[in-house]
C-alpha cells in the first residue's frame, strides 16, 4: 500500500509467483516483490487523481469519486446522461456501504464500478483502475497473512499523508 499511496508506483505483474514471504526471527512475515520489470509510475497528476478518488471513497463522497473516475478523453462514448448515471451509481455504492469501510472491501466494489462503467459507456481513469486492482491484491495478501488485520488502519493514514503530500484539501462530510 505504501508503494501505491506514497511512492507513486504500482507493480504491473503482481501475482502470487512474484511475491516472496519471509518470516523474521520474531515470526513476523515480510513481503518482497519480485520481477519488478513492469512497474507503473503514475506521475504527479495521475497520482494526485488516484489519491483524490480514494480519499473521496474513504469519506463516502461517491459523487466526487465518480466524477474523478471518469476519463474525460474525447474518445469516450459516454453521453452527459451516462456520466451522470454512472456518478449516481458510485454514490449509491457509498450509501449502501455505510455500515462497512470502503477501504476494507475494495475488491467487493471493483466489479460494481466496472459494471457501471460498462453499462454507461464510461471510460475509467486508467491510473485508478491500476491502483484499485493493486490495492485489492494487497488486501488479499494482507488478510491471508494476518486474518484479523484492519486494512483501513494502515491505508487511511497513508491516503491522508498522500493528500498532504499533494497539498490536497481534505475534509470529512
Amino acid at each position: 500500500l505504501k508503494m501505491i499511496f506514497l511512492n507513486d508506483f504500482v507493480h504491473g505483474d503482481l501475482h502470487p509467483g512474484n511475491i516472496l514471504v519471509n518470516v523474521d526471527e520474531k515470526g513476523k512475515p515480510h513481503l518482497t516483490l519480485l520481477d519488478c520489470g513492469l512497474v507503473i509510475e503514475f506521475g504527479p497528476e495521475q497520482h494526485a487523481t488516484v489519491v483524490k478518488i480514494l480519499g473521496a471513497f474513504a469519506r463516502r463522497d461517491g459523487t466526487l469519486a465518480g466524477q474523478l473516475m471518469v476519463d474525460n478523453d474525447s474518445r469516450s462514448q459516454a453521453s452527459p446522461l451516462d456520466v451522470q448515471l454512472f456518478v449516481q451509481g458510485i454514490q449509491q455504492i457509498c450509501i449502501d456501504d455505510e455500515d462497512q469501510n470502503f477501504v476494507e472491501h475494495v475488491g467487493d466494489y471493483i466489479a460494481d464500478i466496472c459494471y457501471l462503467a460498462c453499462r454507461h459507456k464510461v471510460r475509467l481513469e486508467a491510473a485508478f483502475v491500476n491502483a484499485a486492482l493493486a490495492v485489492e491484491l494487497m488486501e488479499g495478501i494482507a488478510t491471508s497473512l494476518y486474518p484479523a488485520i484492519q486494512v483501513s488502519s494502515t491505508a487511511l493514514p497513508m491516503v491522508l499523508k498522500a493528500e498532504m503530500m499533494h497539498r490536497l484539501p481534505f475534509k470529512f462530510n
Side-chain angles (χ1 to χ4, degrees), residues 10-13 18 33-40:
V10 174
H11 192 297
D13 189 24
N18 282 340
L33 302 180
L34 307 173
D35 190 13
C36 294
L38 293 173
V39 172
I40 301 164

Side-chain angles (χ1 to χ4, degrees), residues 2-155:
K2 183 178 177 185
M3 72 179 182
I4 297 167
F5 294 121
L6 303 179
N7 299 327
D8 185 20
F9 73 92
V10 174
H11 192 297
D13 189 24
L14 202 53
H15 58 78
N18 282 340
I19 302 167
L20 180 64
V21 180
N22 294 310
V23 180
D24 66 18
E25 57 277 350
K26 296 179 183 177
K28 183 177 178 184
H30 296 276
L31 299 179
T32 302
L33 302 180
L34 307 173
D35 190 13
C36 294
L38 293 173
V39 172
I40 301 164
E41 184 176 8
F42 295 131
E45 201 172 302
Q46 286 180 314
H47 189 246
T49 299
V50 169
V51 169
K52 287 177 189 176
I53 293 168
L54 294 172
F57 272 122
R59 292 176 182 81
R60 292 184 169 69
D61 186 348
T63 300
L64 178 59
Q67 291 166 344
L68 291 168
M69 275 192 282
V70 175
D71 182 345
N72 291 310
D73 190 308
S74 60
R75 296 174 289 169
S76 177
Q77 297 177 7
S79 69
L81 178 60
D82 282 322
V83 171
Q84 180 183 357
L85 292 170
F86 171 79
V87 170
Q88 288 173 351
I90 299 301
Q91 178 60 31
Q92 190 61 49
I93 289 171
C94 289
I95 291 168
D96 294 344
D97 180 60
E98 193 171 356
D99 295 336
Q100 308 231 8
N101 183 326
F102 182 84
V103 179
E104 295 288 337
H105 303 280
V106 170
D108 296 344
Y109 304 109
I110 299 291
D112 294 338
I113 291 167
C114 290
Y115 168 77
L116 286 169
C118 288
R119 181 173 181 201
H120 299 294
K121 299 180 227 83
V122 169
R123 283 184 66 161
L124 295 176
E125 182 65 45
F128 168 73
V129 174
N130 287 324
L133 292 173
V135 168
E136 163 59 10
L137 186 61
M138 294 311 295
E139 175 190 354
I141 293 167
T143 54
S144 293
L145 292 173
Y146 304 101
I149 192 170
Q150 294 288 317
V151 176
S152 62
S153 64
T154 301

